[in-house]
Amino acid sequence: MSSMKELVEYMAKAVVNDPDSVIVREIEGSNSTIFELSVTPDDMGRVIGKQGRVANAMRTLLRVAAVKEGKRVTLEIV
Amino acid sequence: MSNQNVKSLDVSAKTVDEAIEQGLAQLQLRRDQVDIEVIKEGKRGVFGIGAEDAVVRLTPRSRPSAEQAEQKAPPQPPADNQPAEAPPATTPVEEVARRHLGALLRYMGIKAEIKVKSAPELVEGNEEAPLVLDITGRDLGILIGRQSQTLRALQYILRLMVSKEMGSWQPVIVDVESYRIRRHQSLRRLAERMAERAVANKRRVVLEAMPAYERRIIHLALKDHPAVYTKSVGSDENRKVTIIPK
């Protein structure tokens, strides 16, 4: 059993300066799940990274969890 | 037993570690109270054939009393000739890295073990051997991914997390079933073979597309080659090392 929401939260909280304002919303669709990650404006750069490197790495790892659950997922930073 | 008049003691045993242990027991000293010189590394042999005992020489450090030794607080950093089997002390980085990696794997739904080791084979020359967290278990191909994309993502995120917590950049390496070490070795062999081909055919050889750190391994493997030089061509995902006869 994987816990995709916790995964996103855990990754985000560990790279930002203000972990308390990390919020992850899980939006279940019929065949895919969207995770919306929000952080304080100051931390946006930290969860996105240069050329989106951090966000893409988080997506890659989230995809592993999704494959394990047989789901399609997207991660959006809002 | 007095160790004042003991100059040095040679001990042999199956492994360097055992020899050191036995020697220390004989001298009734701790590891940080002696200088250890490995005289023979010893060999395991196959089914005991060709096995050779390890020999170490222990020389008590001159020091008037044991009490003074107690005050010499920081333990000696491991000497260069210390055997690889010596259990390394757990460092804070190691602890932090292990905790974060363990949590990531758990949330990803991956059942696996994490083994911490140092991998001198992953670096060139006298660069410091990096801390490697090797993930072992069944069906872990999913953690490597195409062109090791997933493995690189895992390492990147872990480095960020660990560095954030430690307050300084920590270039820890994440590996899966020693994939990186095996890949490193096979890339070096590939480099040699393709260099020979380039020279023999007097034509450039273009390798398959590789991520940056893999291209680096090829460049480094051939940097002192007498008859070829290397260059990366193409962009991004499609960047390829080219081996060119001089």
Side-chain angles (χ1 to χ4, degrees), chain A residues 1-4 6-7 10-11 14-17 46 53-54 56-58 60-61 63-65 67-68, chain B residues 99-101 103-104 106-111 139 142-143 149-150 153-154 156-157 160-161 164-165:
Chain A
M1 240 294 281
S2 77
S3 6
M4 296 190 277
E6 280 96 328
L7 177 63
Y10 187 81
M11 291 190 288
V15 300
V16 296
N17 282 346
R46 292 188 181 84
R53 210 172 155 202
V54 179
N56 284 333
M58 290 199 291
T60 302
L61 299 187
R63 212 170 302 133
V64 173
V67 167
K68 287 254 151 194
Chain B
R99 168 160 46 78
H100 282 311
L101 184 57
L104 287 174
R106 202 165 55 246
Y107 290 135
M108 283 159 77
I110 304 264
K111 278 205 189 73
D139 297 328
I142 193 174
L143 281 185
Q149 194 199 18
T150 310
L154 193 54
Y156 184 62
I157 291 287
L160 286 180
M161 293 172 133
K164 180 94 191 164
E165 183 163 335

Side-chain angles (χ1 to χ4, degrees), chain B residues 39-244:
Chain B
I39 295 171
K40 258 194 331 199
E41 288 273 357
K43 288 181 199 144
R44 247 178 241 291
V46 180
F47 303 121
I49 301 161
E52 222 173 65
D53 278 356
V55 181
V56 298
R57 177 168 297 162
L58 306 185
T59 312
R61 297 207 174 118
S62 50
R63 148 184 320 141
S65 70
E67 277 71 32
Q68 212 178 30
E70 295 296 335
Q71 284 161 13
K72 209 178 163 218
Q76 293 297 311
D80 281 342
N81 54 10
Q82 198 119 346
E85 311 81 275
T90 308
T91 61
V93 193
E94 188 180 321
E95 228 177 271
V96 172
R98 194 189 265 279
R99 168 160 46 78
H100 282 311
L101 184 57
L104 287 174
L105 292 175
R106 202 165 55 246
Y107 290 135
M108 283 159 77
I110 304 264
K111 278 205 189 73
E113 262 186 71
I114 300 166
K115 292 195 179 114
V116 180
K117 54 190 182 186
S118 96
E121 56 268 65
L122 286 181
V123 289
E124 309 294 325
N126 36 16
E127 286 175 45
E128 200 182 330
L131 179 67
V132 177
L133 289 97
D134 192 22
I135 306 167
T136 61
R138 301 172 68 108
D139 297 328
L140 295 180
I142 193 174
L143 281 185
I144 299 174
R146 192 178 62 88
Q147 276 195 15
S148 66
Q149 194 199 18
T150 310
L151 181 53
R152 280 181 288 137
L154 193 54
Q155 173 170 298
Y156 184 62
I157 291 287
L158 187 74
R159 283 179 172 184
L160 286 180
M161 293 172 133
V162 175
S163 303
K164 180 94 191 164
E165 183 163 335
M166 300 295 294
S168 66
W169 181 241
Q170 302 291 339
V172 295
I173 290 180
V174 179
D175 204 351
V176 171
E177 293 278 359
S178 300
Y179 168 84
R180 278 181 195 274
I181 291 170
R182 285 183 281 123
R183 179 80 180 149
H184 198 104
Q185 286 158 350
S186 80
L187 284 172
R188 279 190 188 163
R189 285 195 299 270
L190 176 79
E192 286 300 330
R193 264 199 332 270
M194 292 302 132
E196 273 171 36
R197 182 184 290 182
V199 172
N201 299 345
K202 299 197 177 72
R203 289 185 63 170
R204 60 179 60 196
V205 174
V206 182
L207 304 183
E208 59 174 334
M210 292 172 196
Y213 81 92
E214 292 194 351
R215 294 196 307 272
R216 179 170 183 267
I217 294 168
I218 305 273
H219 289 308
L220 287 175
L222 296 176
K223 74 175 184 339
D224 295 325
H225 197 285
V228 298
Y229 66 98
T230 55
K231 215 165 83 177
S232 289
V233 293
S235 55
D236 303 326
E237 298 276 280
N238 245 324
R239 212 158 153 76
K240 298 166 179 170
V241 178
T242 307
I243 303 172
I244 306 160

